[in-house]
């Protein structure tokens, strides 16, 4: 049986994002569907958080242990018409980082502290809407015991 390390981390990230839906900071959370253009989709409510498939880095920790850093990109989308102030996207970014800073081990699925980061905001236009977006990234470390 394969040891699952990425999926428990992703599950906890999604839980934290859904907590932000409950608090009103986000409107909708889903997995990023790579078969569809995320800018052309209709979502029930904005802002939207779409979590993508992780990438990872691995390095030998000890002779039987590797430390893996899973990197989860989260595409954050907001309708341009919902932007009321030049700092709205920064406030949203701060709400995200504050949430993850307060759960820095992702309920024990990550060792040590996670490292959240965000890109600058960009604009994308479709025929019927203007989207402001940025990539929020979570880097979470965990250990893999060789042979498990």
């Amino acid at each position: 049986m394969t040891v699952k390390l990425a999926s428990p981390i992703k599950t906890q990230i999604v839980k934290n994002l859904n907590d932000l839906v409950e608090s009103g900071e986000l409107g909708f959370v889903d997995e990023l569907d790579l078969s569809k253009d995320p800018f052309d989709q209709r979502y029930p409510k904005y802002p939207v958080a779409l979590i993508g498939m992780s990438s990872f880095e691995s390095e030998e920790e000890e002779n039987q242990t590797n430390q893996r850093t899973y990197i989860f990109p989260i595409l954050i989308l907001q309708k341009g018409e919902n932007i009321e102030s030049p700092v709205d996207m920064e406030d949203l970014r701060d709400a995200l980082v504050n949430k993850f800073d307060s759960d820095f081990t992702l309920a024990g699925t990550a060792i040590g502290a996670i490292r959240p980061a965000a890109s600058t905001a960009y604009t994308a236009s479709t025929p019927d809407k203007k989207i402001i977006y940025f990539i929020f990234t979570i880097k979470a470390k965990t250990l893999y015991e060789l042979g498990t």
Side-chain angles (χ1 to χ4, degrees), residues 113-139:
I114 61 167
R115 294 184 324 191
S119 71
T120 191
Y122 302 97
T123 303
S125 294
T126 67
D128 64 333
K129 64 184 173 280
K130 181 176 170 182
I131 298 291
I132 312 299
Y133 70 97
F134 63 90
I135 307 293
F136 186 75
T137 305
I138 298 288
K139 292 184 178 183

Side-chain angles (χ1 to χ4, degrees), residues 25 85-98:
E25 299 290 342
S85 162
V87 297
D88 283 355
M89 292 302 280
E90 290 174 330
D91 291 346
L92 176 55
R93 181 199 58 206
D94 286 346
L96 286 160
V97 76
N98 291 344

Side-chain angles (χ1 to χ4, degrees), residues 10-31:
K10 188 175 198 174
T11 297
Q12 191 59 35
I13 292 170
V14 169
K15 182 197 173 300
N16 283 336
L17 293 171
N18 280 320
D19 288 349
L20 290 169
V21 171
E22 295 278 325
S23 70
E25 299 290 342
L26 289 173
F28 181 71
V29 174
D30 203 358
E31 297 234 10

Side-chain angles (χ1 to χ4, degrees), residues 14-81:
V14 169
K15 182 197 173 300
N16 283 336
L17 293 171
N18 280 320
D19 288 349
L20 290 169
V21 171
E22 295 278 325
S23 70
E25 299 290 342
L26 289 173
F28 181 71
V29 174
D30 203 358
E31 297 234 10
L32 182 62
D33 183 346
L34 295 176
S35 69
K36 298 176 183 171
D37 183 343
F39 300 108
D40 284 335
Q41 301 309 303
R42 299 213 180 271
Y43 302 104
K45 190 173 179 187
Y46 284 82
V48 173
L50 301 172
I51 186 166
M53 181 181 162
S54 67
S55 60
F56 74 90
E57 301 166 351
S58 184
E59 64 181 86
E60 187 176 313
E61 182 77 9
E62 296 174 357
N63 64 350
Q64 290 296 308
T65 308
N66 286 350
Q67 182 181 89
R68 290 189 187 162
T69 302
Y70 286 92
I71 305 156
F72 290 90
I74 305 165
L75 180 61
I76 306 296
L77 307 172
Q78 177 63 290
K79 275 187 173 179
E81 64 197 51

